[in-house]
Amino acid sequence: MIMTKLLCFLLTITLFQLLELAISRREQVTTPPLPVLPLPSYTQLKWQQREIIMFFHFGVNTFTDSEWGTGKENPAIFNPIGLDANQWISAAMDAGVSLVILTAKHHDGFCLWPSNYTDHSVKLSPWKNGHGDVVQEFVNAAKARGVDAGLYLSPWDRHDPRYGHDLQYNEYYLAQMQELLTRYGNVREIWFDGAKGPNAVNMSYYFTEWFAMVKELQSSINVFSDAGPDVRWVGNEKGFAGSTCWSTINRTSLSIGNGSIVDYINRGDPRGTDWLPAECDVSIRTGWFWHKSQSPKRLSKLLKIYYNSVGRNCVMLLNVPPNSTGLISEIDIQRLREFRKAIDTIFSANLADKCTTKASSVRGGKDGGFGPENVLDSDHLWTYWAPRDNKNDDYWIEIKAQDQEGLKFNVIRIQEAIGLGQRIKEHEVYVDGKLVAKGSTVGYKKLHRLEYGVVHGHFVKIKITKSRAPPLISSIGLHFDPYWHPNNEQ
Ligand code: FUL
């Protein structure tokens, strides 16, 4: 009897101990920090991770050697006899692109799909005897290869007589938008271009109604315009973001087609209450449309644009215009392949991979799950180094080479865990105690291509000298860019 009681007693004690252990284990799991508003939406995060997306400018201008059609073009000139949208998508895939955007209608008003609301379209062209639909071929080809599709529908329309009559034109525009957003499956981005010529007829666009209908008809779409609501224009057509580029901005200060905001949208605003990241549009050639006389930009130029867009917390929207046969020219395809190969060469190896890491402090201590080693894993969003919450702390993270040889690199990549807000305002990078780079905000991705070329060292320390809240760093990379020769930069 006594033995049984003793056993029961011992068992109870053991159970208690186990329970205590379980509770203390549970207590060790540290919660993630509070986000700092504003935050990206799910679709904005997906968009940001694409890094490079592609534009196809195609239409009557392709056949008239012009950039802005007059609206008086005869649809009979549109005859891309060799059109093969699969080839366009292959070209995009060669460049590692997962979203492609087609100009369904440009300023000339010619529609690449058979709209019910106008005859100024493929219907009156000789291409496929008027039975063709470029938008359909484009989305079919994209879908078949797992690439997402987006559409550009120009607000400025130089052909349609309703343009200039507010109600009629807005109804026409909305009718066309409904066709595009209901006939062709998922559309991931819609491009509202604020451009119009200086002598364009006066006209008010009913943006509020337009945006509301877009969101009604498509669940995972990003709306692009000078002022968002999901993605903003970067303020130029060179593909360059400001060296400081916040994804945050005040939308109330923005309007579409307003030249005076270009500097503001190029930089963003650390005090902004809206998450509205910038997209950097640029053409691989001089023009947006194909012209026989033009050729693609050099690789060094494309890489410079990449560093100044993707490397400044933006997405690069690269235009590659199909030619009058209806194909992407071979010379552009070659350049796209070179571009992709260069990016892979530079970034597929992280020289920091085998390094050890150290940080000023760690949220929840060393077992809290927020250690500095997180910056070297393959997740660039949801695993991150977080320091403890203490406003008076200095924040730094250090990467140390494990062997005597040390590290040789000329590019530093830093990524913030933007899912919890963009926080870093200023940072500095030291190699063996010497300052090699400094910058302002970081955001999804900041690339420093080192001004003086390759550095060699054993310790790389990143100091965050100003931030809106304790900084959260999701990834750090040290890379070697063999294409970077600072002295011959053009
Ligand atoms: C501009 C347009 O005027 C150009 O033709 C081109 O479409 C470019 C992407 O946007 O505003």
Side-chain angles (χ1 to χ4, degrees):
M1 185 64 183
I2 290 180
M3 274 305 273
T4 327
K5 273 194 174 159
L6 196 66
L7 261 176
C8 275
F9 179 67
L10 283 177
L11 204 68
T12 324
I13 286 191
T14 325
L15 276 175
F16 262 120
Q17 277 172 340
L18 280 174
L19 201 70
E20 251 179 22
L21 194 73
I23 289 172
S24 70
R25 281 252 165 88
R26 261 215 341 251
E27 276 170 2
Q28 271 174 17
V29 180
T30 310
T31 54
L34 265 192
V36 173
L37 300 178
L39 296 183
S41 69
Y42 184 82
T43 52
Q44 286 171 323
L45 268 185
K46 292 283 152 204
W47 165 90
Q48 186 96 46
Q49 288 173 297
R50 297 180 190 272
E51 299 200 354
I52 306 178
I53 59 180
M54 196 169 277
F55 228 158
F56 295 126
H57 272 67
F58 188 57
V60 281
N61 296 339
T62 312
F63 299 83
T64 58
D65 203 19
S66 55
E67 279 291 310
W68 278 4
T70 59
K72 300 197 169 67
E73 291 78 13
N74 185 340
I77 60 173
F78 185 83
N79 197 15
I81 44 173
L83 190 143
D84 179 6
N86 293 305
Q87 190 249 14
W88 307 0
I89 302 301
S90 297
M93 292 176 82
D94 283 347
V97 159
S98 64
L99 169 67
V100 288
I101 303 174
L102 172 68
T103 53
K105 177 182 89 165
H106 203 251
H107 308 327
D108 49 72
F110 180 79
C111 300
L112 293 183
W113 80 103
S115 171
N116 289 339
Y117 304 100
T118 179
D119 283 336
H120 198 57
S121 79
V122 280
K123 269 192 294 193
L124 287 187
S125 81
W127 179 62
K128 301 202 164 173
N129 293 321
H131 297 296
D133 182 343
V134 184
V135 176
Q136 187 72 65
E137 298 204 9
F138 161 79
V139 296
N140 287 352
K143 195 169 172 205
R145 311 286 291 277
V147 171
D148 289 327
L151 294 170
Y152 168 115
L153 181 66
S154 172
W156 185 32
D157 188 321
R158 303 183 83 182
H159 174 83
D160 199 89
R162 283 162 281 198
Y163 194 85
H165 304 277
D166 285 1
L167 179 62
Q168 287 99 314
Y169 183 73
N170 277 285
E171 286 182 354
Y172 172 61
Y173 189 89
L174 273 166
Q176 293 206 313
M177 183 207 284
Q178 288 171 62
E179 288 183 326
L180 290 175
L181 299 184
T182 56
R183 283 188 192 173
Y184 300 102
N186 289 331
V187 176
R188 305 289 183 187
E189 181 163 335
I190 185 157
W191 235 77
F192 293 111
D193 188 343
K196 59 165 124 169
N199 301 323
V201 185
N202 232 356
M203 162 91 229
S204 305
Y205 302 136
Y206 296 174
F207 288 119
T208 313
E209 284 81 354
W210 296 6
F211 298 164
M213 281 217 83
V214 171
K215 296 288 183 177
E216 177 185 21
L217 298 174
Q218 291 280 335
S219 62
S220 49
I221 194 165
N222 283 310
V223 175
F224 168 101
S225 82
D226 297 356
D230 302 309
V231 176
R232 74 176 195 259
W233 185 41
V234 77
N236 62 63
E237 294 184 341
K238 293 192 289 223
F240 283 14
S243 55
T244 295
C245 190
W246 288 87
S247 294
T248 52
I249 206 157
N250 282 321
R251 277 199 69 208
T252 47
S253 311
L254 305 181
S255 53
I256 301 175
N258 169 5
S260 69
I261 59 165
V262 289
D263 288 339
Y264 186 58
I265 56 181
N266 192 243
R267 286 192 314 267
D269 187 344
R271 284 178 297 275
T273 53
D274 302 289
W275 188 274
L276 187 55
E279 187 167 285
C280 303
D281 57 325
V282 63
S283 186
I284 196 168
R285 294 169 169 232
T286 319
W288 292 99
F289 286 86
W290 176 81
H291 305 279
K292 202 170 182 211
S293 58
Q294 294 181 356
S295 46
K297 292 182 167 64
R298 277 192 304 266
L299 175 63
S300 59
K301 180 81 194 174
L302 289 179
L303 284 173
K304 186 171 180 176
I305 295 170
Y306 178 84
Y307 279 101
N308 287 341
S309 54
V310 177
R312 290 180 173 176
N313 183 37
C314 293
V315 164
M316 173 175 171
L317 171 57
L318 180 63
N319 177 64
V320 184
N323 59 27
S324 54
T325 310
L327 295 171
I328 308 282
S329 303
E330 204 48 44
I331 181 170
D332 300 48
I333 293 181
Q334 284 313 327
R335 193 53 41 81
L336 290 172
R337 288 189 182 138
E338 282 169 31
F339 182 43
R340 185 72 243 169
K341 184 164 166 250
I343 292 172
D344 291 344
T345 305
I346 303 164
F347 295 104
S348 53
N350 183 358
L351 304 172
D353 260 356
K354 294 195 183 68
C355 293
T356 53
T357 51
K358 220 163 97 178
S360 47
S361 70
V362 175
R363 180 182 178 83
K366 82 176 174 7
D367 297 320
F370 297 101
E373 65 282 358
N374 289 344
V375 304
L376 298 181
D377 68 15
S378 58
D379 180 290
H380 295 176
L381 213 50
W382 295 112
T383 67
Y384 46 88
W385 162 61
R388 65 175 184 198
D389 267 329
N390 185 343
K391 284 200 183 75
N392 301 321
D393 275 359
D394 284 337
Y395 300 119
W396 55 262
I397 179 165
E398 188 176 73
I399 288 178
K400 183 181 163 208
Q402 273 198 309
D403 53 26
Q404 299 249 298
E405 260 176 58
L407 300 155
K408 271 189 188 158
F409 56 92
N410 55 6
V411 174
I412 300 162
R413 173 176 52 83
I414 312 173
Q415 301 193 234
E416 260 187 271
I418 57 162
L420 292 159
Q422 191 174 344
R423 298 160 176 239
I424 298 176
K425 285 174 141 178
E426 273 171 29
H427 67 282
E428 296 169 346
V429 187
Y430 293 82
V431 176
D432 292 352
K434 193 173 154 250
L435 181 71
V436 298
K438 60 181 184 177
S440 49
T441 190
V442 170
Y444 178 67
K445 187 176 273 193
K446 173 74 190 179
L447 297 173
H448 288 282
R449 193 149 65 151
L450 298 179
E451 228 178 296
Y452 300 109
V454 178
V455 291
H456 184 191
H458 293 81
F459 297 91
V460 178
K461 189 172 195 167
I462 299 176
K463 290 187 189 173
I464 292 88
T465 47
K466 263 193 196 165
S467 60
R468 296 171 63 221
L472 308 175
I473 298 189
S474 60
S475 184
I476 294 179
L478 303 176
H479 302 278
F480 177 68
D481 176 347
Y483 308 87
W484 175 228
H485 308 290
N487 299 329
N488 318 334
E489 213 228 335
Q490 288 151 27

